[in-house]
Amino acid sequence: MLSDKARPIVEATLPVVGEHIEEIANRFYAHMFAEHPDLQDGVFNRGNQAEGSQPKALAGSVAVFATALVKDPQLPERLLTRIAHKHASLGIRPAQYQIVRDNLMWAIGDVLGDAVTTDVAAAWDEVYWLMAYALIHQERGLYSARGVTAERVWRQWAVSEKIQETDDVVQFVMRRVDDRPVKTSLPGQYITVNAPMPDGVRHASSV
Ligand code: HEM
């Protein structure tokens, strides 16, 4: 629940944050990838970055979450299910939330400048951690429902058959190459394929 101190501050600053969300998102990713280049190797999809949908999705969802929180103090958990499924398919770990937080708060300060007083920063930090802890909780539930840890979501598969369905649709039949059981998918679950590209960088694509 958002504190009584943070709520009016978040409400008052939501319009200015919303107005600058694209710039905040772009600054956030540029800063985070400069500090953690490994996050562009098999974690964040470079295609989505180039096209701009992912930057807006993450930062935009924080603003949507904040809007819901100021209207109703109950956590809008349902807003998070799809994100948690996406994260779980990528093996996102709780410790990475600190990296995203540091870079997002840096970007908010960088774009909004003096408007980000200590109280404003603290109020948005509160929003961030309410969202982050709720996501971490949901993701923990998804990992445990399938008996994996974030570190063990990835496994190797072999392509046993390639069927050309139409001119532009190919079906791949996959075969496991380890001795781990193959479990049924949960409703809403994503499947993410992490494949090396010609330049050696891994590229994660989720469906
Ligand atoms: C409170 C913190 C976070 C929020 C609000 C958030 C929000 C989002 C949203 C809205 C999406 C898009 C979901 C969709 O496509 O349906 C997403 C995807 C993703 N998130 Fe997060 N996220 C957070 C933390 C993190 C962390 C800590 C990491 C790991 C460093 C991370 C990595 C990713 C990745 C790799 C994707 C897929 C993006 C792509 O396809 O390029 N997120 N997140």
Side-chain angles (χ1 to χ4, degrees):
M1 197 165 128
L2 204 54
S3 69
D4 288 344
K5 183 170 179 201
R7 182 168 306 105
I9 301 175
V10 170
E11 198 164 12
T13 48
L14 253 171
V16 69
V17 170
E19 204 180 304
H20 293 88
I21 204 73
E22 219 164 312
E23 205 183 338
I24 291 170
N26 290 334
R27 300 289 291 139
F28 155 64
Y29 279 102
H31 197 256
M32 184 167 74
F33 292 146
E35 287 200 337
H36 299 274
D38 51 302
L39 289 177
Q40 281 195 292
D41 184 6
V43 185
F44 284 94
N45 179 311
R46 286 186 297 176
N48 291 352
Q49 289 299 319
E51 172 249 329
S53 58
Q54 166 57 19
K56 274 177 259 159
L58 197 158
S61 72
V62 178
V64 169
F65 189 82
T67 309
L69 268 184
V70 294
K71 279 198 199 126
D72 178 352
Q74 293 306 314
L75 273 193
E77 297 262 359
R78 66 194 156 70
L79 286 182
L80 306 180
T81 310
R82 178 174 155 174
I83 306 173
H85 269 295
K86 177 67 82 78
H87 286 168
S89 81
L90 285 150
I92 301 303
R93 300 185 299 276
Q96 291 174 313
Y97 279 84
Q98 186 67 46
I99 298 173
V100 166
R101 179 262 169 215
D102 292 348
N103 287 281
L104 189 59
M105 293 306 291
W106 174 87
I108 291 175
D110 192 53
V111 172
L112 301 183
D114 292 344
V116 186
T117 60
T118 314
D119 283 350
V120 169
W124 279 93
D125 204 34
E126 213 177 296
V127 170
Y128 178 84
W129 283 116
L130 279 172
M131 196 168 182
Y133 284 130
L135 279 169
I136 289 169
H137 179 71
Q138 285 198 19
E139 288 154 25
R140 189 175 292 134
L142 294 175
Y143 292 134
S144 85
R146 277 297 163 265
V148 289
T149 57
E151 291 74 18
R152 272 175 63 86
V153 296
W154 300 114
R155 60 195 287 193
Q156 295 227 319
W157 296 81
V159 176
S160 63
E161 212 180 333
K162 203 171 149 186
I163 305 162
Q164 193 76 42
E165 299 279 6
T166 66
D167 282 351
D168 53 4
V169 176
V170 178
Q171 185 188 149
F172 293 95
V173 180
M174 314 298 287
R175 181 173 49 80
R176 68 173 175 163
V177 293
D178 54 25
D179 56 7
R180 289 167 58 186
V182 178
K183 305 225 172 126
T184 52
S185 300
L186 297 169
Q189 182 174 323
Y190 285 86
I191 293 174
T192 300
V193 176
N194 209 343
M197 294 292 107
D199 63 1
V201 172
R202 285 169 305 149
H203 184 91
S205 308
S206 308
V207 287

